[in-house]
Amino acid sequence: MRSLTAFSVICCLIFALSCSGTKEPQPTYTISEAPVNPNGDSELALLMREMFEDAERMKEEIKAGKTPKVLKTFEEIYSAKATEAEKAESPIYHSYAQTYLASLNALKNADSAQAAALFHDMVNNCMSCHKAMCPGPTVRIQKLYLTQN
Ligand code: HEC
């Protein structure tokens, strides 16, 4: 049994060595920038994902005819570190963040008649900042509108 294990270890080693010894062309690029945290996701990216999921939940509540509950106010949007730190430190970012938080707070106090319109405003504010600073996720954010499936 032991010799079988030793045999397979040796086989694996030979296999591994032979792989690294192949004459595949090596990539010429190097990865120079270390990720902000070990997962490669910035604090802000993780926060944004949470904001997205929370907005999806509120959308479903509105579609079900309920008044959406605002469970979190995402004040960390001001302090969370972004992949490109300077982006989230600029005055323009701060002002978009403020407008977004104001619309989230308005939704907090909404009654069922206002909820859909105030939710729409909030998604508009996600969009405004993204169009100005980070256009990539706009395709996903678009799906938060109540008129989209
Ligand atoms: C004040 C500007 C601003 C506002 C408002 C804003 N975002 Fe973002 N968002 C960003 C920036 C900047 C990033 C890039 C984060 C990074 O990579 O560090 C981002 C990233 C994202 C991402 C990608 C996260 C990932 O997986 O990498 C999603 C999705 C997202 N935002 C959704 C939203 C939603 C939904 C809202 C509204 C509820 C919103 N954002 C409001 C600036 C904003």
Side-chain angles (χ1 to χ4, degrees):
M1 198 55 192
R2 188 172 288 173
S3 65
L4 183 64
T5 314
F7 180 68
S8 29
V9 167
I10 290 165
C11 284
C12 285
L13 275 176
I14 291 170
F15 184 66
L17 290 174
S18 70
C19 279
S20 56
T22 53
K23 295 203 173 61
E24 291 271 292
Q26 295 298 308
T28 50
Y29 57 86
T30 50
I31 296 164
S32 55
E33 257 178 313
V36 173
N37 73 33
N39 296 329
D41 295 317
S42 68
E43 288 172 12
L44 189 62
L46 295 174
L47 181 72
M48 287 285 161
R49 253 172 256 172
E50 205 186 331
M51 282 160 51
F52 183 85
E53 281 162 20
D54 208 49
E56 270 184 324
R57 173 191 58 79
M58 290 194 274
K59 176 181 174 176
E60 290 311 313
E61 287 176 358
I62 296 171
K63 277 169 74 179
K66 297 184 203 150
T67 309
K69 284 200 179 62
V70 176
L71 301 174
K72 279 199 75 176
T73 45
F74 299 110
E75 299 284 339
E76 305 95 312
I77 195 171
Y78 290 128
S79 55
K81 289 267 170 298
T83 310
E84 296 165 59
E86 66 285 355
K87 237 180 210 182
E89 285 161 7
S90 64
I92 179 101
Y93 172 90
H94 198 275
S95 113
Y96 278 121
Q98 216 166 12
T99 315
Y100 154 70
L101 287 185
S103 65
L104 184 61
N105 274 314
L107 191 56
K108 204 175 185 174
N109 305 316
D111 60 32
S112 60
Q114 305 163 311
L118 291 174
F119 180 80
H120 189 88
D121 279 355
M122 187 201 75
V123 180
N124 276 343
N125 288 321
C126 303
M127 274 296 192
S128 307
C129 186
H130 275 269
K131 281 187 180 146
M133 311 205 73
C134 176
T138 51
V139 180
R140 281 182 69 194
I141 297 171
Q142 185 77 32
K143 299 204 175 90
L144 291 173
Y145 285 114
L146 285 157
T147 47
Q148 308 266 315
N149 288 320

